[in-house]
């Protein structure tokens, strides 16, 4: 009976830590959280907060896009060591990328894609001291309709659209950049897309180890208190 209680303490502790372990979510509820225009798009890119496209119970999303149609790197976040809370997280993930991923929700509105002809999609890039890593064809649509898609990009290997794995740990900088791409008339625009709840997920082994460590401390405290 005592053995079952010990196991229960371990499991509860692991589950509790799995919810509290470090991860970072951009929900853009109050500010842009460092995101801005890329500076290397087509020169007409824009970034803003918007209630449109908010998902998962949030009130705001990140809206971005560009005028002139076609392809442009639009929204970007760049930072060095200690300049943003996700620096340490990305550095740790670079060392232990297994099962790690970046996830986010993408919302398209037909009225906000005046340059749409037969497709629209995103490109996502992660840049570090190891170079420029890019995935194309993310959240592709082939019909201009109001729709929201969930995206999951692995950080430990390639996808059909490219590969953002292999970025440097303790890099002098990291840059996340997102582009909107359509088969657009170059005179069209502005075209806008919305993303929300962009999350870098925790590494599963870390969750278990932290949970085990916490449960061990709990058991030690209980044993001392019973002496």
């Amino acid at each position: 009976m005592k053995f079952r209680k010990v196991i229960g303490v371990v499991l509860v502790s692991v589950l509790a830590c799995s919810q509290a372990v470090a991860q970072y979510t951009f929900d853009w509820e109050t500010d842009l959280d460092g995101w801005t225009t890329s500076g290397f798009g087509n020169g007409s890119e824009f970034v803003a907060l918007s209630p449109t496209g908010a998902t998962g119970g949030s009130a705001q999303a990140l809206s971005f896009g560009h005028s002139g149609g076609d392809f442009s790197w639009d929204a970007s976040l760049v930072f060095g060591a200690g300049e943003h809370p996700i620096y340490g997280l990305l550095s740790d993930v670079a060392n232990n990328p297994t099962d790690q991923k970046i996830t986010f929700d993408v919302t398209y509105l037909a009225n906000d894609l005046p340059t749409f002809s037969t497709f629209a999609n995103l490109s996502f890039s992660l840049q570090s001291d190891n170079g420029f890593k890019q995935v194309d064809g993310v959240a592709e649509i082939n019909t201009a309709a109001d729709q929201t898609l969930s995206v999951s990009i692995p950080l430990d290997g390639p996808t059909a659209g490219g590969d953002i794995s292999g970025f440097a740990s303790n890099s002098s900088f990291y840059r996340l950049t997102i582009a909107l791409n359509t088969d657009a008339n170059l005179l069209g625009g502005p075209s806008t897309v919305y993303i929300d709840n962009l999350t870098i997920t925790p590494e599963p082994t870390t969750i278990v180890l932290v949970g085990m460590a916490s449960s061990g401390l709990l058991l030690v405290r209980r044993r001392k208190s019973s002496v």
Side-chain angles (χ1 to χ4, degrees), residues 94 126-133 165-169 171-174:
L126 174 53
Q127 191 174 0
S128 71
D129 290 341
N130 280 355
F132 193 93
K133 309 288 185 174
S165 67
F167 54 96
S169 179
S171 179
S172 63
F173 77 103
Y174 292 109

Side-chain angles (χ1 to χ4, degrees), residues 3-219:
F3 179 76
R4 290 180 180 176
K5 287 183 178 180
V6 170
I7 294 298
V9 170
V10 173
L11 291 176
V12 168
S13 183
V14 170
L15 290 173
C17 290
S18 69
Q19 296 175 359
V21 73
Q23 68 175 20
Y24 198 90
T25 296
F26 293 93
D27 56 16
W28 297 288
E29 292 300 272
T30 58
D31 56 48
L32 290 170
D33 205 359
W35 288 81
T36 185
T37 52
S38 70
F40 55 97
N42 68 9
S44 66
E45 62 271 12
F46 54 85
V47 173
L49 298 178
S50 172
T52 302
T55 60
S58 60
Q60 293 195 108
L62 182 71
S63 66
F64 62 88
H66 56 273
S67 298
D70 206 11
F71 178 94
S72 177
W73 290 108
D74 298 317
S76 185
L77 171 68
V78 59
F79 51 90
E83 294 178 354
H84 195 281
I86 67 168
Y87 178 89
L89 179 56
L90 281 174
S91 186
D92 290 344
V93 169
N95 287 322
N96 298 286
T98 303
D99 296 328
Q100 294 277 8
K101 54 188 177 292
I102 290 179
T103 62
F104 53 93
D105 300 321
V106 182
T107 297
Y108 296 104
L109 299 181
N111 288 340
D112 290 342
L113 293 173
T115 57
F116 183 97
S117 178
T118 62
F119 76 84
N121 60 47
L122 304 181
S123 290
F124 189 96
S125 71
L126 174 53
Q127 191 174 0
S128 71
D129 290 341
N130 280 355
F132 193 93
K133 309 288 185 174
Q134 179 176 335
V135 175
D136 297 316
V138 175
E140 182 159 340
I141 59 173
N142 302 109
T143 301
D146 298 353
Q147 50 192 306
T148 298
L149 306 175
S150 294
V151 171
S152 180
I153 302 174
L155 292 172
D156 60 356
T159 71
D163 190 355
I164 58 173
S165 67
F167 54 96
S169 179
N170 298 313
S171 179
S172 63
F173 77 103
Y174 292 109
R175 182 196 297 268
L176 308 177
T177 313
I178 311 176
L180 173 61
N181 182 35
T182 68
D183 56 342
N185 182 328
L186 294 179
L187 299 178
S191 291
T192 306
V193 66
Y194 308 88
I195 68 169
D196 198 13
N197 293 315
L198 190 155
T199 301
I200 300 174
T201 63
E203 198 271 321
T205 302
T206 302
I207 296 175
V208 174
L209 290 177
V210 171
M212 293 291 284
S214 299
S215 61
L217 290 174
L218 182 58
L219 288 173

